[in-house]
Amino acid sequence: MTREELAEWNVGINLDQLMNMDPRGYGVCRILYEGARALAGEPVSMHSAKALTKLLKPGDLVYIMTGFILRPHKCPETDGIVGAILLARALIRAFDVKPILVCPEENVVAVRNCAPLVGMHLYEDIAQVLSLPEAFGIYPFTKELSEVKKQISELFAYGEPAALISTEAPGANEKGEYHNATGINMTELEAKMDGLFDEALKKGIPTFAIGDLGNEIGMGAIGSHIARYIPYAGKGKCNCGCKGGILARTAADYLITATVSDWGVYGLISAIAFLKKDISIMHDEDMEERVLRECSRSGMVDMTGSLLPGIDGFDVAMNCRIVNMMRETTAYAIRYDVQKWFDVTLEAGFFKECEQEVSVWKKSAS
C-alpha cells in the first residue's frame, strides 16, 4: 500500500462512517452498508469516486436519475433531488462534463429554482447543454410504460453517456411494481426510469447507484442481502398484494448505501474532491441550506410529508452538519502532507490486511 492508497482508504472510511451515521438507531443503514462494502472490497464512497475519476473527461455526457413521489400528498420528496443538483455542480467543477438530470415532471420547478443557487445554468434543451459552459440539463421522464422506449431513443440521440448515476430513484421489483419504504404500491406515481438504466447496462455504460433502503434503482446489486435482512424486501413481504417485495430488480456496477441517499451523494462528492485535491468541488453548508430550503418552497416534501425543509426526517441543521463534517475532514486530509507519518504508519503493518483487500478487489476488477 502506498502513502496515497493509505490516505484514500482512510478518507473513504471517514466518509462512509459519516454518511452511515444512524441517528434513528434502527440499523437499516448498517445492514445495507455491510452488503455494499463487501461488494466494493473497499470504502464505497472512494470506490465509486475513483471509478468516476478514471471514466470522465471534459465534454462527456452524464445522466443523473432521481425522483421519488410520495403518498399521501403525491408530492416529490427532497431526498434525491437535493443531492442530484449538488452532484451535477460537483461533476461540472471536477470534470467539466455535461450532466443531465432525468426525473419526474414534478421535480422540474425545484431544479429550475435551485440552479442559480449552485451557480449553474439550467437548460431543458440538451443540445444547449452540450454547447455551453457551466450548464446542466433536465429531462422529465415518463410514468407511462408505453412512452419509455421513445424517451430512451430521444436521450441516446445526443450520444451515449460516459456514466449513468442513479440516486434515490424508484426501482421496480421483478414483477414491475414500485413500492415505498413500508411496502405500499407506488407504481402509478413513479417515473419508469428502469428502462433507461437497463439500456445503459445493455450498452456497457458504467452504472452507479445510491440508495438508503433497497427499493431504489440499482440496489439489486446486493439483492440477496437486502431480501434477507431489510423489512418488506423479501418475496411476499410487501403490503400491496403483488407478492414481489420492495427490492428493486436492477443491479448497478457501483453501489453506495447510506442512511440518507443524499448523504451518500455528499460522500461521493467529498471523495472526488479528495482525489482531485480541490475542496471547492464539495459544496458548503450554506449552499446545502439554500438548496434544501428552495426545494421545500418549490413544493417538495420531507419523507414525513412535511413542507418544512428536511431530508428523510432530518432537519436543515442535521444535513448541514453532515456536509460540514465531510467537507472539513476532507479538506484537512487534502492539505495534510507529513510524509514521515505515512511511512512509519505503513511500516507498523496494521494496514497489511487492508492492502490485501485492495489487491483482491483490483484483481477482480481487472
Side-chain angles (χ1 to χ4, degrees), residues 78-129:
T78 48
D79 191 24
I81 203 69
V82 175
I85 293 166
L86 293 161
L87 178 60
R89 171 196 175 271
L91 295 179
I92 291 170
R93 294 186 73 92
F95 307 111
D96 192 23
V97 294
K98 305 295 184 180
I100 308 297
L101 267 60
V102 180
C103 58
E105 178 69 40
E106 289 93 333
N107 288 128
V108 173
V109 171
V111 176
R112 190 182 294 134
N113 292 342
C114 288
L117 304 181
V118 299
M120 300 294 161
H121 299 271
L122 178 71
Y123 292 98
E124 296 178 40
D125 180 353
I126 295 176
Q128 284 186 290
V129 177

Side-chain angles (χ1 to χ4, degrees), residues 8 13 73 80 104 137 155 200 264 268 281 326 328 332 341 360 364:
E8 287 175 4
I13 289 174
H73 301 287
L155 284 166
L268 173 61
I281 292 167
M326 287 184 177
E328 290 302 314
Y332 191 91
W341 275 106
V360 169
S364 65

Side-chain angles (χ1 to χ4, degrees), residues 159-349:
E160 290 188 9
L164 188 151
I165 305 169
S166 176
T167 175
E168 192 65 14
N173 66 12
E174 290 183 348
K175 295 179 178 288
E177 301 293 329
Y178 299 77
H179 298 82
N180 68 5
T182 59
I184 303 300
N185 197 292
M186 306 290 285
T187 304
E188 66 173 318
L189 298 180
E190 309 302 347
K192 308 301 186 291
M193 293 179 279
D194 305 73
L196 179 58
F197 196 87
D198 291 338
E199 187 68 14
L201 289 171
K202 189 187 303 181
K203 291 179 177 292
I205 296 163
T207 57
F208 298 76
I210 302 162
D212 59 24
L213 185 64
N215 59 340
E216 304 93 353
I217 286 177
M219 295 290 281
I222 54 170
S224 59
H225 181 76
I226 290 172
R228 181 177 182 184
Y229 294 114
I230 299 300
Y232 309 107
K235 290 182 179 179
K237 293 185 178 179
C238 57
N239 288 315
C240 75
C242 81
K243 305 296 184 184
I246 70 171
L247 173 66
R249 63 168 179 79
T250 45
D253 298 315
Y254 299 87
L255 183 65
I256 290 174
T257 63
T259 304
V260 175
S261 291
D262 279 349
W263 295 2
V265 173
Y266 305 156
L268 173 61
I269 295 171
S270 290
I272 292 170
F274 176 78
L275 294 173
K276 301 289 283 185
K277 301 298 182 278
D278 180 2
I279 196 58
S280 72
I281 292 167
M282 176 63 179
H283 63 288
D284 60 20
E285 57 189 312
D286 290 337
M287 186 174 288
E288 170 75 13
E289 180 171 355
R290 289 196 301 271
V291 172
L292 178 49
R293 289 191 183 280
E294 186 57 49
C295 282
S296 296
R297 280 192 291 264
S298 300
M300 299 189 67
V301 296
D302 181 22
M303 174 189 73
T304 64
S306 174
L307 281 166
L308 292 174
I311 305 176
D312 274 6
F314 300 111
D315 62 13
V316 172
M318 182 68 175
N319 286 284
C320 287
R321 288 187 185 109
I322 293 290
V323 167
N324 189 53
M325 284 293 292
M326 287 184 177
R327 183 182 169 91
E328 290 302 314
T329 55
T330 303
Y332 191 91
I334 289 171
R335 64 179 182 265
Y336 188 80
D337 192 23
V338 183
Q339 182 67 44
K340 66 179 181 180
W341 275 106
F342 288 94
D343 290 341
V344 296
T345 301
L346 286 167
E347 286 169 9

